[in-house]
Amino acid sequence: MAQQKKMVEDITSMDVDFAKWYTDVIKKAELVDYSSVKGCMVIRPYGYAIWENIQKDLDARFKELGHENVYMPMFIPESLLQREKDHVAGFAPEVAWVTQGGNEQLSERLCVRPTSEVLFCEHYKNIIHSYRDLPKLYNQWCNVVRWEKTTRPFLRTSEFLWQEGHTMHETEQDAREETLRMLKVYENFYRETLAIPAIVGQKTEKEKFAGAIETYTIEPMMHNGVALQGGTSHYFGDGFAKAFDITFTDRNNKPQFPHQTSWGVSTRMIGAIIMTHGDDNGLVLPPRVAPTQVVIIPVAMHKEGVLEKANELFSSLKKSFRVKLDDSDNSPGWKFSEYEMKGVPIRLEIGPKDIENNQCVLVRRDNNEKIFVSLESLEQSISDTLDEVHNGLYARALQNLKEKTFEARNYDEFLDTAKNHPGFIKAMWCGDAQCETKIKDETGGVKSRCIPFDEDSISEVCACCGKPAKHLVYWGKQY
RNA sequence: CGAGGUGUGGCUCAGCUUGGUAGAGCGCUGCGUUCGGGACGCAGAGGUCGUGGGUUCAAAUCCCGUCACCUCGACCA
């Protein structure tokens, strides 16, 4: 990342303490507040506005592909959760239970949903009878609860917001295609909207979702080289359908089990945005989700005509962009810092000198570049600059991903890289979970991220045990 | 769940060793001067010292318990 002069003293430098930097940024940018419930956060208006922009974009992508939104209950009776044994075994340790309603002890305790597969299955059993009822392409936007031991705002909270798509298909092939199609939607969304590059691929047996046959994942790398599981898409086969006795009559009048998928992304993406693009001056938001794309700061507001001109700009620009005019009586310098911390992509300064010359000053958040723009061509300049910022952020993140991706051909190389170079390690793997466990234990937490789709081979043998290799795997520490 | 740390105006903390009128900076409110990179002056508001018990004439300070939060490890979108 290009070195910039540090303008804000309230934020710990990333190189000094990345975790502290992260906390400072979310506080100074007013994204969240802590609440009185352990591990739960208040998402403040500025943070929630980012989520709303994410929702709007993703929701349109889902609907474009024929998905419909629904809402399921937030409680799951214990007996329902127990239906699919791998699933319950995976989630039971982190489930919150409701045992009492009013003053009455419940006859069966209710789980607060950690994910809604079983609720969808229960419903699908009632509405799927014929191949004509398929596919069912449902999605819901909701909150889920997972009782986490250690929490961090956005990255891991006890309650979080997400979307979960749950689909049922006539054939295995249809379901498999859906699984990969939605993974692609996530990949495109990360690139086109969040300006975040990522490795995509398949999770190993050890890392896959509880109850799934295959799990696919998108794994962006944070600025410090640590991975974040950014979204997952699962192929379930007909395992849940059998457990829930969901059947339909096929084209040959034969009973069949439908094939199922689920896929989700969460508010964790906001954490990814912060840790991918942010710098020592605070948040840097990708323009397509920034709640405010352009902030107008009048300079010498008390002087004749300044505020009027600023208002004029505001009225005309707000037709095309998300614009804010800050006419509070803080000093201009204070405002500059404020909107830098909040990551607003473009700042416009308008003062008496500019008005004289029919221009304003346009400053980019990502590289602090300052240019004078004539008011006639302002709208075009902003539009172009927002695209440039998006592309610049993506390029910078891609460079970071490449610079911090290493290869290891044997175990010594692997351990050395894991110890000395934060980032991803590409290494061959024999397919044995024992090697994953060994690596995790001996490196202090390096896990397999995924098996990428376009695997190249960098060696014939497993980098851990030396037996014949089956796959290339990306490895890394994760949040 | 294991190991460490912290609880004092809204925030960051000092005060505790050696018990005796509860402090500072920032923020907040009002007025005035400022305004192109976190301006300044004056006046003001605001604290059951996390919580329960104990010792004492007297506890933010000493003793015992308890709760919450933070950091680091084992589990996870």
Side-chain angles (χ1 to χ4, degrees):
Chain A
M1 184 177 290
Q3 281 296 310
Q4 280 181 20
K5 190 171 153 228
K6 189 161 158 27
M7 307 268 187
V8 177
E9 299 305 323
D10 298 349
I11 295 174
T12 306
S13 175
M14 319 174 119
D15 296 333
V16 174
D17 184 343
F18 196 79
K20 183 84 165 32
W21 168 85
Y22 180 78
T23 323
D24 286 347
V25 169
I26 61 163
K27 276 192 294 192
K28 296 304 289 186
E30 300 180 345
L31 298 178
V32 302
D33 190 20
Y34 289 93
S35 77
S36 55
V37 183
K38 178 179 156 51
C40 295
M41 59 178 173
V42 174
I43 305 179
R44 304 180 66 186
Y46 195 65
Y48 198 77
I50 297 173
W51 181 238
E52 287 178 313
N53 289 332
I54 287 173
Q55 281 185 305
K56 198 173 157 193
D57 185 309
L58 266 179
D59 201 60
R61 291 176 193 254
F62 297 157
K63 284 178 178 154
E64 177 69 26
L65 294 171
H67 299 90
E68 299 174 285
N69 285 335
V70 296
Y71 189 78
M72 292 286 157
M74 81 181 305
F75 300 121
I76 304 173
E78 184 165 18
S79 56
L80 191 62
L81 187 69
Q82 304 276 4
R83 287 283 184 88
E84 213 289 337
K85 60 179 179 5
D86 289 339
H87 188 65
V88 67
F91 280 101
E94 49 183 33
V95 154
W97 294 100
V98 176
T99 58
Q100 193 168 328
N103 294 322
E104 302 292 314
Q105 196 75 15
L106 300 180
S107 59
E108 179 181 12
R109 57 180 185 164
L110 302 173
C111 148
V112 181
R113 63 180 166 212
T115 179
S116 306
E117 272 74 10
V118 298
L119 291 165
F120 276 89
C121 284
E122 187 187 40
H123 177 56
Y124 282 145
K125 178 178 166 49
N126 295 332
I127 62 168
I128 295 173
H129 306 290
S130 152
Y131 72 91
R132 293 181 216 275
D133 297 326
L134 296 173
K136 278 280 175 276
L137 306 175
Y138 284 179
N139 175 66
Q140 84 166 337
W141 292 93
C142 67
N143 60 341
V144 288
V145 169
R146 298 182 188 178
W147 217 255
E148 300 286 356
K149 305 264 200 257
T150 307
T151 59
R152 220 197 281 244
F154 293 120
L155 302 178
R156 192 185 300 114
T157 46
S158 300
E159 178 191 12
F160 57 91
L161 306 183
W162 77 344
Q163 60 69 217
E164 46 178 334
H166 295 267
T167 67
M168 282 293 192
H169 304 264
E170 196 177 343
T171 66
E172 172 175 346
Q173 191 191 339
D174 288 352
R176 287 183 179 278
E177 282 171 7
E178 170 78 359
T179 309
L180 294 177
R181 185 183 303 124
M182 298 319 290
L183 183 72
K184 194 74 190 171
V185 167
Y186 291 151
E187 189 184 359
N188 291 343
F189 174 76
Y190 266 85
R191 187 182 62 250
E192 295 164 1
T193 303
L194 305 183
I196 297 176
I199 304 298
V200 294
Q202 187 175 350
K203 283 289 189 191
T204 62
E205 200 61 18
K206 182 172 155 56
E207 297 294 329
K208 76 180 191 187
F209 182 84
I213 290 181
E214 283 160 13
T215 289
Y216 297 90
T217 182
I218 174 162
E219 302 274 336
M221 182 198 284
M222 304 299 100
H223 188 255
N224 62 351
V226 177
L228 189 72
Q229 186 168 303
T232 45
S233 185
H234 314 290
Y235 170 65
F236 286 105
D238 57 9
F240 276 78
K242 284 175 175 161
F244 283 81
D245 194 28
I246 306 168
T247 55
F248 68 96
T249 306
D250 72 8
R251 290 160 201 265
N252 303 314
N253 200 30
K254 294 255 171 61
Q256 298 288 351
F257 293 110
H259 291 74
Q260 185 177 358
T261 82
S262 82
W263 26 274
V265 291
S266 71
T267 35
R268 177 180 269 185
M269 283 190 290
I270 297 174
I273 293 170
I274 299 167
M275 291 198 298
T276 301
H277 300 311
D279 64 22
D280 279 349
N281 292 322
L283 200 56
V284 178
L285 289 176
R288 288 163 202 169
V289 292
T292 301
Q293 297 172 306
V294 180
V295 63
I296 302 169
I297 299 180
V299 175
M301 281 194 306
H302 60 292
K303 297 249 172 79
E304 186 72 24
V306 172
L307 210 46
E308 286 80 353
K309 196 71 191 176
N311 268 303
E312 208 177 287
L313 281 184
F314 175 64
S315 306
S316 83
L317 291 177
K318 76 177 177 189
K319 291 170 197 152
S320 315
F321 309 103
R322 296 189 287 271
V323 193
K324 179 186 167 80
L325 166 64
D326 187 344
D327 57 0
S328 71
D329 56 8
N330 290 308
S331 73
W334 186 92
K335 292 175 188 172
F336 298 164
S337 302
E338 178 69 10
Y339 296 103
E340 262 153 28
M341 290 190 293
K342 290 191 149 181
V344 175
I346 291 177
R347 174 175 88 230
L348 297 181
E349 302 171 20
I350 179 100
K353 283 183 261 175
D354 300 309
I355 294 171
E356 238 170 74
N357 298 319
N358 196 40
Q359 64 177 27
C360 70
V361 180
L362 184 157
V363 187
R364 277 171 67 158
R365 173 63 180 87
D366 63 325
N367 61 10
N368 213 35
E369 196 177 279
K370 203 178 255 203
I371 54 170
F372 293 93
V373 181
S374 127
L375 294 185
E376 274 84 44
S377 60
L378 183 57
E379 188 165 331
Q380 189 59 46
S381 295
I382 290 173
S383 176
D384 293 346
T385 304
L386 289 174
D387 285 342
E388 283 169 29
V389 170
H390 178 90
N391 294 334
L393 290 178
Y394 183 83
R396 197 159 72 181
L398 186 61
Q399 191 189 346
N400 185 58
L401 175 64
K402 286 184 171 162
E403 279 173 2
K404 294 191 172 112
T405 300
F406 307 93
E407 292 185 359
R409 280 170 186 75
N410 57 55
Y411 202 51
D412 285 344
E413 269 182 37
F414 196 105
L415 291 179
D416 180 68
T417 309
K419 192 176 170 195
N420 300 312
H421 303 286
F424 288 165
I425 303 172
K426 287 166 77 171
M428 302 307 290
W429 176 56
C430 61
D432 193 332
Q434 280 181 7
C435 285
E436 290 181 271
T437 306
K438 182 179 175 193
I439 285 171
K440 188 181 151 203
D441 290 346
E442 295 180 4
T443 56
V446 171
K447 289 160 82 170
S448 64
R449 308 301 339 142
C450 67
I451 302 163
F453 290 122
D454 43 358
E455 290 184 57
D456 21 286
S457 177
I458 60 170
S459 134
E460 298 301 312
V461 296
C462 176
C464 181
C465 67
K467 287 180 196 154
K470 282 190 186 149
H471 298 290
L472 176 79
V473 168
Y474 275 82
W475 306 80
K477 290 189 183 175
Q478 70 168 2
Y479 275 102

